[in-house]
């Protein structure tokens, strides 16, 4: 049995709690947060020891194998480095960190202490994305021309005002780090390294320090072109998250409010009926096994099989690096 603990018991911790509970070979050992009222509620529900200090938790519950870090992003590095020095394996929420310097500190600590670590990029496990990856690996697109990723969501001012860290550069990182990094990770996973970026990044509508809107053009290692559009400024509600891929022998568009549904699937090598069957198959179960559960299960398997987790810290670093490249082209426009 692999014993997990969670540090940071806000909204995202719920996904980790559910994932641990549903994963064979995983057990919850302890919880840690600075909010004592929240801890009291969770202690009643999950019946595990709770702590306001990670150091105290690790000292008093030595059976802990893995620490899930679910705090605001700017706090990841210190906690991850400390847990690694304590000999604990790590599951780190996205983004891995907010700077490349911090990601490198974490990678070095993990290597030095010979522990295993993964970063939470769960969208790779969506059934539609898995099907797209298989199609790319099979080469049925032919030569690719371009790709396009969009995150057109709403995060109103009340969302940012709920917690002082939201919308800050030091703790949140803005729409690219906090919301669109999943789409950027998918682009890197599916199409490889980005060699050039051109972008405009701005804070258009929200009263926050970080950006709420970004548009970028990318060139990938093999010459493939791409576009990225990300915002939290869509009026009233989330509109869509999408990924579109175009090649000489076919195209795919995955979309919906979250990119879980295949909207278009057309290839020269497939009949219309075959394409409809694939779309219908995804429609029957667009969410599949939750991505967080896949990541927790992968950590359990990695430890039992003495291998590295499927999603590595280098994967997390590449996503942070792409955000850094895009966000460095920030342009403030006078209102």
């Amino acid at each position: 049995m692999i014993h997990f603990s969670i540090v940071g018991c806000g909204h995202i911790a719920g996904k980790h709690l559910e994932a641990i509970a549903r994963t064979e070979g995983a057990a919850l050992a302890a919880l840690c947060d600075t909010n004592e009222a929240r801890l009291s509620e969770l202690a009643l529900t999950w019946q595990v020891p709770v702590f306001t200090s990670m150091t105290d938790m690790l000292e008093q519950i030595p059976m802990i194998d893995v620490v899930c870090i679910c705090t605001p992003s700017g706090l990841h590095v210190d906690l991850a480095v400390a847990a690694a020095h304590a000999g604990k394996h790590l599951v780190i929420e996205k983004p891995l960190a907010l700077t490349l310097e911090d990601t490198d500190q974490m990678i070095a600590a993990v290597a030095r202490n010979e522990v295993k670590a993964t970063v939470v990029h769960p969208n790779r496990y969506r059934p539609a994305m898995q099907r797209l990856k298989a199609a790319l690996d099979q080469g049925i697109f032919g030569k690719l021309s371009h790709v396009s990723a969009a995150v057109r969501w709403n995060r109103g001012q009340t969302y940012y005002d709920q917690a002082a860290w939201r919308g800050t550069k030091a703790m949140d990182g803005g729409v690219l780090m906090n919301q669109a990094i999943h789409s950027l990770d998918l682009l890197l996973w599916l199409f490889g390294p980005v060699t050039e970026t051109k972008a405009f990044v701005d804070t258009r509508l929200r009263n926050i320090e970080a950006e709420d809107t970004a548009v970028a053009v990318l060139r990938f290692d093999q010459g493939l072109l791409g576009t990225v559009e990300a915002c939290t400024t869509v009026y009233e509600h989330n509109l869509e998250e999408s990924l579109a891929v175009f090649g000489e022998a076919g195209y795919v568009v995955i979309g919906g409010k979250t990119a879980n549904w295949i909207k278009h699937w057309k290839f020269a090598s497939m009949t219309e009926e075959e394409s409809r069957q694939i779309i219908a198959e995804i429609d029957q179960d667009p969410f599949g096994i939750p991505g967080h559960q896949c990541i927790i299960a992968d950590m359990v398997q990695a430890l039992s099989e003495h291998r590295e987790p499927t999603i590595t810290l280098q994967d997390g670093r590449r996503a942070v690096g792409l955000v850094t490249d895009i966000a460095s082209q920030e342009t403030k426009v006078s209102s």
Side-chain angles (χ1 to χ4, degrees):
M1 186 67 68
I2 304 300
H3 294 92
F4 287 78
S5 63
I6 296 175
V7 178
C9 296
H11 169 74
I12 201 64
K15 293 184 180 293
H16 289 253
L17 288 165
E18 292 174 5
I20 294 165
R22 293 175 178 174
T23 300
E24 184 177 354
L28 181 66
L31 297 170
C32 179
D33 196 278
T34 56
N35 187 321
E36 295 186 25
R38 182 182 298 143
L39 281 178
S40 297
E41 293 177 6
L42 291 171
L44 289 172
T45 303
W46 295 96
Q47 297 295 302
V48 294
V50 296
F51 299 85
T52 56
S53 162
M54 186 182 76
T55 300
D56 291 345
M57 180 183 73
L58 297 182
E59 288 178 351
Q60 295 182 40
I61 312 292
M63 69 165 52
I64 292 171
D65 300 298
V66 183
V67 176
C68 298
I69 296 179
C70 303
T71 61
S73 304
L75 300 177
H76 287 181
V77 59
D78 289 342
L79 293 166
V81 169
H85 285 326
K88 306 305 179 183
H89 308 288
L90 295 164
V91 175
I92 305 168
E93 259 299 332
K94 62 78 185 170
L96 181 56
L98 296 180
T99 69
L100 289 175
E101 291 78 12
D102 284 353
T103 67
D104 290 341
Q105 282 190 54
M106 297 158 80
I107 290 169
V110 165
R112 185 161 53 248
N113 293 282
E114 298 183 341
V115 297
K116 300 187 186 302
T118 188
V119 59
V120 179
H121 283 301
N123 294 14
R124 297 186 184 194
Y125 292 100
R126 291 175 174 176
M129 295 302 172
Q130 290 284 316
R131 185 60 72 106
L132 172 59
K133 181 68 163 63
L136 288 163
D137 290 345
Q138 292 164 11
I140 61 175
F141 282 90
K143 184 178 180 179
L144 295 172
S145 63
H146 66 289
V147 300
S148 180
V151 179
R152 296 167 175 152
W153 283 354
N154 170 273
R155 297 292 184 271
Q157 192 61 45
T158 55
Y159 164 85
Y160 290 106
D161 292 343
Q162 285 174 2
W165 64 271
R166 287 182 175 173
T168 65
K169 291 184 177 180
M171 289 292 162
D172 183 350
V175 65
L176 289 168
M177 280 289 192
N178 200 359
Q179 282 83 27
I181 197 163
H182 288 310
S183 294
L184 298 181
D185 173 69
L186 288 173
L187 291 175
L188 293 165
W189 175 56
L190 294 168
F191 306 109
V194 172
T195 58
E196 186 178 6
T197 65
K198 304 288 186 182
F200 287 101
V201 179
D202 205 349
T203 310
R204 296 292 301 153
L205 300 183
R206 305 299 177 232
N207 182 25
I208 58 174
E209 180 184 23
E211 83 284 344
D212 61 16
T213 307
V215 292
V217 180
L218 315 176
R219 186 185 298 276
F220 291 83
D221 188 43
Q222 301 301 315
L224 172 70
L225 300 179
T227 64
V228 173
E229 175 192 341
C231 72
T232 57
T233 57
V234 172
Y235 172 68
E236 197 171 31
H237 58 77
N238 290 350
L239 179 61
E240 65 175 333
E241 176 189 15
S242 64
L243 179 63
V245 185
F246 300 92
E248 63 182 341
Y251 62 87
V252 168
V253 178
I254 297 172
K257 285 191 175 182
T258 55
N260 286 90
W261 290 267
I262 297 176
K263 299 297 185 179
H264 301 280
W265 184 280
K266 187 173 182 63
F267 291 98
S269 60
M270 285 189 179
T271 66
E272 292 291 335
E273 179 58 29
E274 288 172 329
S275 294
R276 281 194 293 270
Q277 288 177 359
I278 289 172
I279 293 171
E281 177 186 324
I282 298 300
D283 282 347
Q284 289 177 4
D285 186 15
F287 298 100
I289 298 172
H292 282 74
Q293 184 177 338
C294 293
I295 288 167
I296 294 296
D298 182 66
M299 176 58 81
V300 170
Q301 293 166 9
L303 291 171
S304 65
E305 297 169 4
H306 305 289
R307 62 167 175 83
E308 292 304 307
T310 301
I311 302 175
T312 67
L313 294 197
Q314 288 294 341
D315 291 329
R317 187 188 192 279
R318 281 187 279 272
V320 171
L322 182 52
V323 172
T324 301
D325 287 344
I326 295 171
S328 67
Q329 300 171 60
E330 180 181 51
T331 303
K332 291 294 184 184
V333 179
S334 299
S335 58

